[in-house]
Amino acid sequence: MTNKLNLNNLTKSEEDYLKAIFQLLIEDDSVKVGNNQLADYLKVSPASTNNMIKKLKTKGYVVSEKYGKLDLTEEGKSIAVRLIRKHRLWETFLCNYLNFTWDEVHDVAEQLEHIKSRKLIDELDRFMDFPKKDPHGEMIPNANGDYSIIPKIMLSSLSEGDVCQLVAVNDGSVHFLKYVSEIGLALSSEIKILEVREFDKSIRIKFDNIIETVTRKFADNVFVKKVV
Amino acid sequence: MTNKLNLNNLTKSEEDYLKAIFQLLIEDDSVKVGNNQLADYLKVSPASTNNMIKKLKTKGYVVSEKYGKLDLTEEGKSIAVRLIRKHRLWETFLCNYLNFTWDEVHDVAEQLEHIKSRKLIDELDRFMDFPKKDPHGEMIPNANGDYSIIPKIMLSSLSEGDVCQLVAVNDGSVHFLKYVSEIGLALSSEIKILEVREFDKSIRIKFDNIIETVTRKFADNVFVKKVV
DNA sequence: TTAATTTGTTAGTCATGGCTAACTTTTTTA
DNA sequence: TAAAAAAGTTAGCCATGACTAACAAATTAA
Ligand SMILES: [Mn+2]
Ligand SMILES: [Mn+2]
Ligand SMILES: [Mn+2]
Ligand SMILES: [Mn+2]
């Protein structure tokens, strides 16, 4: 039982790397995560990621062979999930209590997730009465670190005639989130696929009697639950 | 009007240095702040402070002559006050909404004060309905950066027979704060000085029908308003 | 008013986490 | 299957913010 009560002596950078690897791993669990891919995601050079990966390997959070793909140890995953829990709880707090809109919360949560205090985050959770979803529809891991992977269906994967309900959106881009709100889409909106254009994969959708055409890129960032 | 809307591109370290200088300046406004004193306060070497002071001088936040004492520019003061505002608002939030005790809040606030978001702190202020004092009795600067310097009277400066009311305590030491609570003292407690012992400057005090002897060091960290 | 002490400065070192440029290995494509 | 492309690695550089050791200036005591 080497459950050495994780002193969490990690730097902000180390934390961001672990979270990034975790996000890339769950984003598409069939495809393994590569060094360049991670560099691209974090907007740093491959040399930087290579360097940090070495450190995280000696610390026991990452596993990989030379020239091989990256994976996280249980300890590494556990740290990543705790970061995601903090990130999403803070986003929820900002939206529900401090008048932030859903496109404003991500950058601030990116800072707040690094505050080190177990009590802080558990009390924040209690204060909000243990919310289950963040403002973008993503699940919030509980204090035990349970991360339930709900397979994400992209809007772009549906076909003509399908009806679905919006369950979550990618929270990384302010422009995207503003765009989603502006056209009138919101969590739980029921969306019908009217047409998928072969030429550029753009999709004609209908929701609340609004008809819109969205690009493939847009539809890749909208996650849904199929209804029909 | 070179009011260049302060981009606040400061590192955590730079912020901590500016806040420290400000604290030392207001702690005793007659005595100027020296390099070694700052090093001592921040628990770093004089070489480190010397180095950082150089940077803060070129950035226009600190003024000093070679081998001379330190002072802050208006811009430097303004940054320090905003940090103190953030620190105290977070301490208040932790105490009043997240079940923290007054000895638990300082270390977490020391991290939270560096979160960069104007909206976050102003909304937090509004959410708590613009509190005027933090859990240790210190005033909270408002959004305009007004810092009202209320001269602090140390309990140790009073004489036998004096009666006073506890208005604030030094928030830096967990041990001290726990001690204060444990003997039964709280903000607003009315304290009577029964005796000041010449030998070791220890003081015999009475409050709520409790009689206690406290050391000079203790009394230096308790701030009061004279009643009689 | 000299000498001792304190205070402040400088030089050089280290760890962290970025970078570019050059190289090696692996994978893909022709 | 050989050449080209992509992915991964290494070496060497930089900025930040710590440190120690040595030194200079200012202050205090003798
Ligand atoms: Mn987010
Ligand atoms: Mn982050
Ligand atoms: Mn404090
Ligand atoms: Mn701080």
Side-chain angles (χ1 to χ4, degrees), chain A residues 11 13 17 44-45 47-48 55 67:
Chain A
T11 64
S13 267
Y17 274 86
V44 296
S45 71
S48 297
K55 208 212 301 187
Y67 292 99

Side-chain angles (χ1 to χ4, degrees), chain A residues 143-183:
Chain A
N144 296 325
D146 299 323
Y147 192 93
S148 49
I149 300 157
I150 304 144
K152 286 183 180 174
I153 304 172
M154 287 181 186
L155 177 60
S156 56
S157 71
L158 299 194
S159 319
E160 277 175 33
D162 287 346
V163 178
C164 61
Q165 196 179 23
L166 201 166
V167 294
V169 290
N170 191 323
D171 72 341
S173 161
V174 172
H175 291 313
F176 168 69
L177 291 170
K178 279 194 169 150
Y179 182 12
V180 175
S181 324
E182 270 164 31
I183 65 176

Side-chain angles (χ1 to χ4, degrees), chain B residues 164-183:
Chain B
C164 61
Q165 198 179 23
L166 201 165
V167 295
V169 290
N170 191 322
D171 74 340
S173 161
V174 173
H175 292 311
F176 168 69
L177 291 170
K178 279 194 169 150
Y179 183 13
V180 175
S181 325
E182 269 164 30
I183 65 177

